[in-house]
Amino acid sequence: MFESVEAAFDRQDYKTAAQLLKPLRQQNPDHPFVQLYVGRLYEAAGKVEAATAAYRQILQSVTNPKVVTQARQALQRLEAIAQATADPNNAKIGFLILEPIVGDARQVAAQNFARIMKLDAYTARLQLPSRGWRLYRTGAIGELEFYGQELRKAGIPAFWASLETLQKLRVLRVNYFQAVSPGATVVCQNEADQTGTLTFDWSEVTHRVEGLLPIFEDVVDLDSRKKLMRKEKTQDYAQVLDLHLPKRHCILRFCDRAYQFQQGVIFDPDAMPNHQATTRIRWNLLTHFLGDRLAAVPSRSDFTLFAETTPEHFAFLQDFPTHINLLRKAPTYWDSAFQIYSGLIFEHSLNKG
C-alpha cells in the first residue's frame, strides 16, 4: 500500500495520496512512513507549520534511517524556502520555467530533477522538456527562485520571473505603419485604448515573437450514437506578432484581426489591386517585410509548445491583462499564455544580457 502512496506523490497527485493515506492513518498512525507521508501532504498543501511539526516529531520518535533522512531533508528544504520568502516581495506570484534539454544530458538531468523535485525518474523524464519552454510551476517567487537555483546547480536550465514584473511591461497594439524608412512610425493604441504614434529605429528591435491563437466556435456534430450535439471546435487561428523594444520597456503587438491593412504603408500594392487581397495575403506581406527588415533579429515561433504547458496554471493567469482583443465567448488560457510567453522572452533576454 505504501508503494501506491509513494507513486501518487511522485505524480504530484496529492488528492489520491490523501485518499490512500486515510485508512493507513486510522489503522497505524504511528508507523514511520505514515508520519512521513502526513508531513509531505501538509507540505504539498502549503501548511508549513503543520509540516514542520510533523517532520520534527519524526526526528524525535522514529529510528528508521530512511524516514529520518527524508524528514531531515524536508526540514532543511522548508527552512531554506522560509528564508527565501521572508521578504514580502518574495511572496508575490511568479513563474518557474524549464528550458529544453536534449541528447545524453537528459538522463543525468532527469536524475537530478527527480531528486530536487521529489519525483520518480520516469515522471522526471516526462516533465523535462526536449523542445521549447515549459511553465513548470506557479507560486511564491522566492520559493521558485530557490528551486530554480537548485536546478541550475544541477545543470538543469531554468529561470523564473514574477507576475508583477511582466505586468509592468508596456504593450502597444499596432493599428498600422505610418512610415517604414529610414526609421519606423506606427499608429497604435495603449493599454487605455488611447490612439497615438510611436517612432522608433529598426535597430531598437531585439526580438520577434510569433504565435497562433485558436478561434473557437460552437458547431453541430454527431455523437457516437449519431445524435446531434453541440461542441466547441477550433475553426481558425488569429496570428499575432510582437516586436520587443527593451530600451523603451515596450512591446509592439501586431494581430491579423486588428491590423488596418488599407491604412498607412502598403507593402506590395501590385499584390493588392483594388484592395481585393485576403487578410491572409496581406498579413503574409506584412510579416515577410518585417522578416526581411529584421533578418538579423532573433525570432521565436515555438509558442504553441509553451502554451500547451499552461492550462493547469490558468487560475493564476485568467485575470492577467492579455492586450489581445479577440472576441471570446469565454476566457481561454491561449491569450494569457501568449502574453506571458512574450513577456518571459523579453525579461529573460534582458537578464541574460
Side-chain angles (χ1 to χ4, degrees), residues 54-95:
Y55 293 139
R56 284 177 177 165
Q57 179 62 35
I58 290 173
L59 297 183
Q60 293 172 5
S61 60
V62 172
T63 58
N64 184 302
K66 184 176 180 179
V67 173
V68 169
T69 298
Q70 291 190 48
R72 184 176 292 113
Q73 291 174 344
L75 272 177
Q76 292 171 349
R77 181 172 62 252
L78 288 176
E79 290 171 358
I81 292 173
Q83 292 177 359
T85 57
D87 185 336
N89 288 326
N90 288 337
K92 296 178 179 179
I93 295 297
F95 307 104

Side-chain angles (χ1 to χ4, degrees), residues 236-237 239 255-262 266-288:
D236 200 359
Y237 291 89
Q239 301 191 71
C255 179
D256 66 344
R257 303 297 174 107
Y259 193 89
Q260 299 172 15
F261 292 101
Q262 297 183 19
I266 303 298
F267 295 101
D268 189 352
D270 293 335
M272 294 186 288
N274 302 318
H275 300 289
Q276 295 300 309
T278 64
T279 297
R280 178 64 57 85
I281 291 174
R282 291 169 170 172
W283 177 259
N284 288 341
L285 290 170
L286 170 62
T287 55
H288 287 163

Side-chain angles (χ1 to χ4, degrees), residues 226-241:
K226 305 299 182 181
K227 292 184 178 181
L228 292 177
M229 59 175 291
R230 285 188 174 275
K231 62 180 181 180
E232 191 176 69
K233 278 190 174 182
T234 300
Q235 294 295 93
D236 200 359
Y237 291 89
Q239 301 191 71
V240 187
L241 184 149

Side-chain angles (χ1 to χ4, degrees), residues 317-339:
L317 306 180
Q318 57 186 343
D319 295 325
F320 185 57
T322 64
H323 309 292
I324 297 172
N325 291 343
L326 296 175
L327 183 60
R328 298 286 194 189
K329 294 177 60 178
T332 172
Y333 66 86
W334 284 94
D335 297 349
S336 301
F338 186 80
Q339 176 67 18

